[in-house]
Amino acid sequence: MADRLKGKNILITGASGGLGERIAYYSAAEGAEVILTARSEARLQTVREKIISDLGAACRTFVLDVSRTEEIESVFKAAGPIDILVNNAGFGIFEPALEASLEDMKSMFEVNVFGLIACTKMALPHMTAQNSGHIINIASQAGKISTPKSSLYAATKHAVLGFSNSLRMELAETGVNVTTVNPGPIRTDFFNAADKTGDYVKSIGKWMLDPDQVAQKIVSIMLTNKREINLPVWMSGVSKLYQLCPAVVEKIGRGAFYKK
């Protein structure tokens, strides 16, 4: 692992906390230079200082709102060539479609989908030119199992999976790998916005994934041709069953799905 990542430039969006921060930490521990982006400069600096003090690793930061294309272009030019891109920035709001605002819908697509695609397009020219690289897109089990009260969020993650799967085939002869990460609920600040009532976290709190374990799994497959990471295993099994028998899963699981 150390040899594979040593000296590689890894850019991570949404790296000021949660899963992105942990991916940065474990990547730096393996000898990579991590380039952290997020909207909060103060939080980025906190993560950077921890990485430098704990690991003595190279770490750069850039303030970036991935919903702003002009900022993406500027940051990627300043960052220079990227060997691994982790598209982690994203958010969700759990509301029925009838109640969700068009503004929230637009914001989720701008960050979760359009921002991810724009970052990918900025990173790809160098990767294809050197015939190696890795695009890692943080999607969700919501992109595989549609559930009530997350229709807009699920739509963005379905889009991420569709884009990633097509991109993987387009890049098959280039040496650039594309991996999607499809986790279930992770114990991070994501739910501060997604689950404003706190009911969902109360219902499934004991099943939530540890961000450190998810991050370590992601770092372990960097610069390999791993197609997908699906976590937890039991939820991955449900998503496979859903693909085969959607009506059955929707009928049996409706009560559980409404727990959010």
Side-chain angles (χ1 to χ4, degrees):
M1 170 60 69
D3 290 340
R4 185 164 70 244
L5 296 186
K6 189 173 182 179
K8 299 298 183 182
N9 293 325
I10 304 177
L11 191 147
I12 305 163
T13 66
S16 62
L19 181 61
E21 175 187 355
R22 305 317 296 158
I23 295 170
Y25 193 87
Y26 290 114
S27 298
E30 297 295 345
E33 176 177 352
V34 290
I35 304 167
L36 315 182
T37 74
R39 292 182 299 173
S40 171
E41 183 173 10
R43 292 180 65 181
L44 281 173
Q45 289 306 315
T46 298
V47 177
R48 178 177 180 273
E49 289 168 8
K50 180 175 176 56
I51 287 174
I52 292 174
S53 64
D54 288 0
L55 305 172
C59 179
R60 291 183 282 155
T61 63
F62 294 93
V63 176
L64 172 62
D65 181 344
V66 298
S67 69
R68 300 179 180 274
T69 305
E70 67 278 7
E71 288 187 18
I72 292 174
E73 293 176 350
S74 175
V75 165
F76 272 78
K77 286 178 182 177
I82 303 300
D83 298 300
I84 302 169
L85 170 64
V86 182
N87 281 310
N88 172 70
F91 76 100
I93 298 175
F94 292 163
E95 291 179 326
L98 187 62
E99 298 174 14
S101 71
L102 293 179
E103 182 179 354
D104 286 343
M105 174 199 70
K106 185 171 182 287
S107 295
M108 272 191 277
F109 270 89
E110 285 178 339
V111 173
N112 297 0
V113 182
F114 304 140
L116 177 148
I117 293 172
C119 289
T120 300
K121 285 179 65 64
M122 291 299 297
L124 278 178
H126 168 72
M127 292 182 182
T128 55
Q130 69 176 9
N131 249 0
S132 74
H134 202 163
I135 304 293
I136 300 175
N137 292 331
I138 310 300
S140 171
Q141 284 295 319
K144 297 196 167 199
I145 310 172
S146 298
T147 61
K149 295 178 66 177
S150 60
S151 54
L152 301 181
Y153 177 70
T156 67
K157 295 305 182 178
H158 273 76
V160 169
L161 290 177
F163 171 71
S164 303
N165 292 340
S166 293
L167 182 66
R168 186 182 297 108
M169 289 187 282
E170 292 174 1
L171 298 174
E173 304 301 322
T174 69
V176 179
N177 298 309
V178 178
T179 300
T180 55
V181 181
N182 308 305
I186 304 174
R187 193 174 287 105
T188 68
D189 291 342
F190 172 88
F191 291 98
N192 292 347
D195 176 37
K196 294 177 182 177
T197 67
D199 292 341
Y200 184 52
V201 172
K202 289 178 184 176
S203 298
I204 55 88
K206 65 181 179 180
W207 304 109
M208 296 178 81
L209 294 163
D210 180 344
D212 282 290
Q213 293 179 358
V214 178
Q216 288 173 321
K217 181 68 175 177
I218 292 168
V219 173
S220 75
I221 59 87
M222 285 180 172
L223 295 181
T224 73
N225 64 352
K226 182 74 172 177
R227 186 180 189 277
E228 292 183 333
I229 296 175
N230 293 290
L231 298 167
V233 174
W234 68 267
M235 191 173 287
S236 174
V238 174
S239 70
K240 290 177 181 177
L241 179 61
Y242 184 69
Q243 302 303 313
L244 295 172
C245 310
V248 173
V249 174
E250 287 171 4
K251 183 176 180 180
I252 295 175
R254 187 176 295 124
F257 291 158
Y258 265 107
K259 285 184 183 253
K260 72 160 70 70

